[in-house]
Amino acid sequence: MSDESTSAPNFIRTQVREDLEAGRNQTVVTRFPPEPNGFLHIGHAKSICLNFGIAEQFGGYCNLRFDDTNPVREEQIYIDSIREDVTWLGFEWAGEVRFASDYFTQLHEWACHLIRNGDAYVDDLGADEIREYRGTLTEPGRPSPWRDRSPEENLVLFEQMRNGEFGEGEKVLRAKIDMASPNINLRDPVIYRIRHASHHQSGEQWKIYPSYDFAHGQSDAIEGVTHSICTLEFEDHRPLYDWFLEHLPVPARPRQYEFARLNLSYTVTSKRKLRMLVDRGIVDGWDDPRMPTIAGMRRRGYTPASIRHFCDMIGVTRADSLVDIQMLYHAIRSDLEDNAPRAMCVLKPLKVVLTNVPEDHEEHFEVAGHPARSDMGTRRLPLSREIWIDADDFMEEPPKKYFRLAPEREVRLRNAYVIRCDEVIHDAQGEVSELRCSVDFETLGKNPEGRKVKGVIHWVSAAHAIPVEVRNYDNLFQVEQPDRDRDGDFLEHLNESSLEVIQAWGEPALADVAPESRYQFERVGYFCADRHDTRPEHPVFNRTVSLKDGWARAQKRQDS
Ligand code: ATP
Ligand code: MG
């Protein structure tokens, strides 16, 4: 895919260009390194667009590498979903999918190399003691009593760890760096832990697992990654990343670059928190259309192009910020405005009887699929004596400047005639239950004689309408930053009305929609046929986004 939407300039792209021009690298190689312990979310999309986008822009390649060093939290379904999501976004990784676990043998050898050189030791301290000995930001750490074991003894103990001769937590392997370093990451970090767990890739083969820090840079080096791009929280790990590469006979010398992670308003993008929403049944799985996961956004109706466009709009910097979710809505709206065919669907039906249309009358209008896209063809729109309009398009006592339907007023039925409301029928509770209107047959495709009719409303023929289930989604959280208060419970900020399911009436063209078809329901919003629940004769539509563009309007205000 060579789409210029993934090549906006940023400081990392500038760095890559300079490295290539200066001959420091012949080809650029990047990687996207998810841990398979959850589904990918919109923050990951930022990283994906950056890593794969750079490879595309400079004719290099990008690997998909699962960072699978923790067998306890990882699962096959996450591996499958991640592959699917990256592909769906429109990116292609180089060669086969890779796994850090593919390199366990090499990593183990390198750990032995560190031991032989006196750069690593087996420690008997428990996790709590290690933390205590490590010191704080203001106090240096203290050496473990086991720090000066000989390489020979360490090699034997490490071999025993590997053979499963110790229990979990009884021993660890640590790099021997500097217990007094101002950077806590360099105070003898743990590089191997004992885990008596089965691993989704390597099975029962290993009783010891490398830490993220030990596996990551070395995996980069094995793959010939030139630019190892990660988020800012790894900045303080960079000296450690470099230390390993300098102390090991690695085949290449990758460099790490950091950028600010994406924070999106009204959203949480921590896998742990997203998992909580799933586990507690607050949402209907990882791909619930309210989730900020790629799978959820796909189900909601986002297109790959809109997500890539969004990632381009937000840019890549080293400054942390909160991105307005309206920008994301803007990105999908502008895609669907151009590319989604139109349809009419009445979400809050009010019956209208057209009194001067005969009982058995049926007529069809040939209507454009999209006002600006003749390639989208036309659709047949039937009209009969009874129609549904939206209850919100009628007011018994309208305020000034209300141009929709009201007693003794006229309005145009979209794509059809002007009608006049002659009579309002109420039910026993006094609610409006039906309108009696008359059609002006002289108004098809032309203005009525001697008067102006400003309002246009959508409608469907009652005899032809098909029942449509509509799922209106709203933000999952009520506040801009649900997890700003670190000690607080982000679940307190849930929006209780983030999902509203309604039965609507749609025009007949919607009867047999394919799952994932996207439409603009005129005057309402953009909708996508649910991938799982849409069946022939039973369309289920997820509201992707409403029509009103809060972000574009705010931009206009700023500009003016
Ligand atoms: P965890 O908390 O489980 O580590 P993670 O979100 O860091 O979660 P990873 O699977 O380790 O998940 O992430 C893969 C890559 O995506 C990493 O390079 C990470 O830096 C990047 N990434 C994760 N979250 C964001 C985000 N919000 N914005 C940009 N990049 C992100
Ligand atoms: Mg991570």
Side-chain angles (χ1 to χ4, degrees):
M1 188 190 72
S2 73
D3 180 346
E4 50 179 4
S5 80
T6 51
S7 61
N10 60 53
F11 74 97
I12 297 182
R13 289 177 192 268
T14 305
Q15 176 74 50
V16 171
R17 183 185 306 274
E18 281 172 13
D19 289 341
L20 290 170
E21 282 170 5
R24 282 188 288 273
N25 304 118
Q26 304 314 307
T27 320
V28 60
V29 182
T30 57
R31 85 286 169 267
F32 174 65
E35 186 178 355
N37 62 353
F39 277 53
L40 297 181
H41 54 61
I42 184 68
H44 294 116
K46 177 177 181 179
S47 174
I48 291 169
C49 288
L50 181 60
N51 280 294
F52 284 92
I54 284 178
E56 277 170 7
Q57 181 185 357
F58 296 101
Y61 42 94
C62 180
N63 295 339
L64 174 61
R65 183 207 313 147
F66 287 99
D67 169 21
D68 58 345
T69 53
N70 185 349
V72 185
R73 294 190 305 187
E74 298 163 5
E75 284 178 44
Q76 187 63 39
I77 67 153
Y78 300 135
I79 294 178
D80 297 340
S81 73
I82 290 169
R83 295 176 63 130
E84 186 177 346
D85 290 346
V86 172
T87 305
W88 180 78
L89 280 173
F91 295 108
E92 246 176 86
W93 51 85
E96 295 294 306
V97 168
R98 292 148 211 262
F99 294 88
S101 55
D102 294 342
Y103 313 134
F104 280 174
T105 301
Q106 175 69 79
L107 291 170
H108 173 262
E109 250 169 58
W110 280 337
C112 294
H113 178 98
L114 290 180
I115 294 174
R116 281 193 296 270
N117 286 350
D119 288 327
Y121 61 97
V122 172
D123 196 351
D124 296 5
L125 293 184
D128 292 338
E129 290 164 307
I130 289 182
R131 201 170 309 120
E132 195 190 311
Y133 274 68
R134 188 175 287 140
T136 63
L137 285 174
T138 49
E139 275 171 65
R142 284 177 291 142
S144 160
W146 311 103
R147 195 171 195 262
D148 291 318
R149 278 175 162 152
S150 69
E152 293 70 30
E153 186 186 359
N154 280 319
L155 281 173
V156 171
L157 288 171
F158 189 47
E159 185 61 15
Q160 289 173 331
M161 282 170 66
R162 177 189 175 173
N163 293 337
E165 294 176 32
F166 302 113
E168 291 193 5
E170 265 183 60
K171 287 190 166 42
V172 291
L173 184 71
R174 299 175 71 175
K176 191 172 179 177
I177 307 181
D178 180 3
M179 287 309 289
S181 171
N183 183 337
I184 293 186
N185 292 297
L186 295 180
R187 294 185 191 169
D188 293 9
V190 171
I191 60 178
Y192 264 92
R193 288 188 182 81
I194 298 169
R195 287 248 190 282
H196 294 276
S198 169
H199 186 282
H200 50 95
Q201 301 300 313
S202 58
E204 312 299 321
Q205 199 189 340
W206 294 92
K207 303 290 175 222
I208 51 173
Y209 289 91
S211 64
Y212 168 86
D213 282 319
F214 189 63
H216 199 81
Q218 280 57 260
S219 301
D220 285 343
I222 291 169
E223 293 178 6
V225 167
T226 55
H227 296 75
S228 180
I229 303 165
C230 61
T231 35
L232 278 176
E233 68 270 25
F234 292 103
E235 185 174 15
D236 290 344
H237 295 237
R238 186 173 359 118
L240 181 57
Y241 183 98
D242 291 338
W243 188 92
F244 287 129
L245 295 173
E246 281 152 18
H247 287 77
L248 290 170
V250 289
R253 186 63 175 80
R255 305 240 164 235
Q256 176 181 304
Y257 299 90
E258 308 89 19
F259 68 99
R261 60 195 299 124
L262 167 66
N263 302 305
L264 191 61
S265 65
Y266 299 97
T267 307
V268 298
T269 47
S270 141
K271 275 188 281 188
R272 189 179 58 81
K273 289 176 185 153
L274 295 176
R275 196 179 308 115
M276 263 166 82
L277 294 170
V278 174
D279 289 347
R280 297 194 185 185
I282 293 167
V283 294
D284 168 29
W286 283 96
D287 73 345
D288 184 299
R290 290 166 293 181
M291 291 282 270
T293 51
I294 307 294
M297 294 173 71
R298 172 178 179 177
R299 199 171 161 197
R300 173 96 164 238
Y302 281 85
T303 57
S306 67
I307 295 175
R308 294 199 308 264
H309 177 54
F310 168 74
C311 290
D312 215 41
M313 284 168 77
I314 60 177
V316 175
T317 68
R318 285 178 58 87
D320 258 315
S321 66
L322 181 68
V323 172
D324 187 345
I325 197 167
Q326 290 295 340
M327 262 172 96
L328 185 60
Y329 295 154
H330 172 79
I332 183 61
R333 264 190 207 104
S334 57
D335 182 350
L336 297 178
E337 162 66 22
D338 293 344
N339 298 310
R342 286 9 184 192
M344 291 202 282
C345 185
V346 173
L347 268 56
K348 234 172 120 183
L350 172 62
K351 173 74 64 78
V352 173
V353 178
L354 303 173
T355 49
N356 58 343
V357 171
E359 294 277 358
D360 58 352
H361 180 86
E362 182 173 312
E363 94 180 270
H364 292 267
F365 307 107
E366 200 75 16
V367 171
H370 186 292
R373 293 274 304 267
S374 54
D375 59 309
M376 287 189 184
T378 58
R379 58 197 217 261
R380 271 163 71 79
L381 198 61
L383 175 78
S384 58
R385 182 177 159 89
E386 296 192 353
I387 63 172
W388 298 109
I389 67 165
D390 200 292
D392 290 340
D393 286 332
F394 173 78
M395 272 184 105
E396 238 182 329
E397 289 162 36
K400 260 194 191 154
K401 298 221 170 166
Y402 184 83
F403 298 119
R404 288 168 273 163
L405 201 56
E408 283 153 41
R409 295 234 198 134
E410 288 182 301
V411 79
R412 177 175 294 278
L413 298 179
R414 175 112 176 104
N415 295 310
Y417 302 108
V418 168
I419 60 170
R420 178 181 190 276
C421 177
D422 305 315
E423 190 185 347
V424 182
I425 315 260
H426 298 91
D427 62 15
Q429 283 76 43
E431 300 288 330
V432 176
S433 60
E434 190 180 303
L435 305 177
R436 299 283 164 107
C437 299
S438 47
V439 171
D440 180 347
F441 290 102
E442 299 304 309
T443 55
L444 194 61
K446 55 181 191 236
N447 289 326
E449 291 288 324
R451 60 209 198 272
K452 251 209 168 98
V453 174
K454 280 197 178 165
V456 181
I457 64 173
H458 60 285
W459 57 279
V460 291
S461 163
H464 304 87
I466 53 145
V468 173
E469 179 177 327
V470 168
R471 300 174 182 170
N472 281 330
Y473 295 103
D474 196 356
N475 296 336
L476 203 44
F477 295 96
Q478 286 174 311
V479 298
E480 266 200 329
Q481 287 173 275
D483 50 3
R484 180 162 71 173
D485 179 6
R486 281 179 171 264
D487 304 321
D489 182 358
F490 73 105
L491 294 174
E492 281 170 16
H493 303 299
L494 278 172
N495 173 7
E496 297 297 335
S497 41
S498 57
L499 169 61
E500 176 200 34
V501 180
I502 54 182
Q503 296 302 322
W505 291 109
E507 66 171 82
L510 296 175
D512 289 313
V513 292
E516 297 200 274
S517 322
R518 301 178 182 88
Y519 286 90
Q520 183 194 93
F521 289 170
E522 294 190 72
R523 303 187 58 244
V524 183
Y526 295 99
F527 291 79
C528 177
D530 191 83
R531 320 174 47 192
H532 303 318
D533 300 338
T534 294
R535 312 214 191 298
E537 308 276 312
H538 179 71
V540 175
F541 276 98
N542 298 319
R543 183 174 69 193
T544 311
V545 70
S546 64
L547 281 183
K548 286 184 216 102
D549 193 331
W551 189 77
R553 268 187 311 190
Q555 291 302 104
K556 269 204 197 108
R557 268 201 302 277
Q558 267 176 20
D559 294 346
S560 65

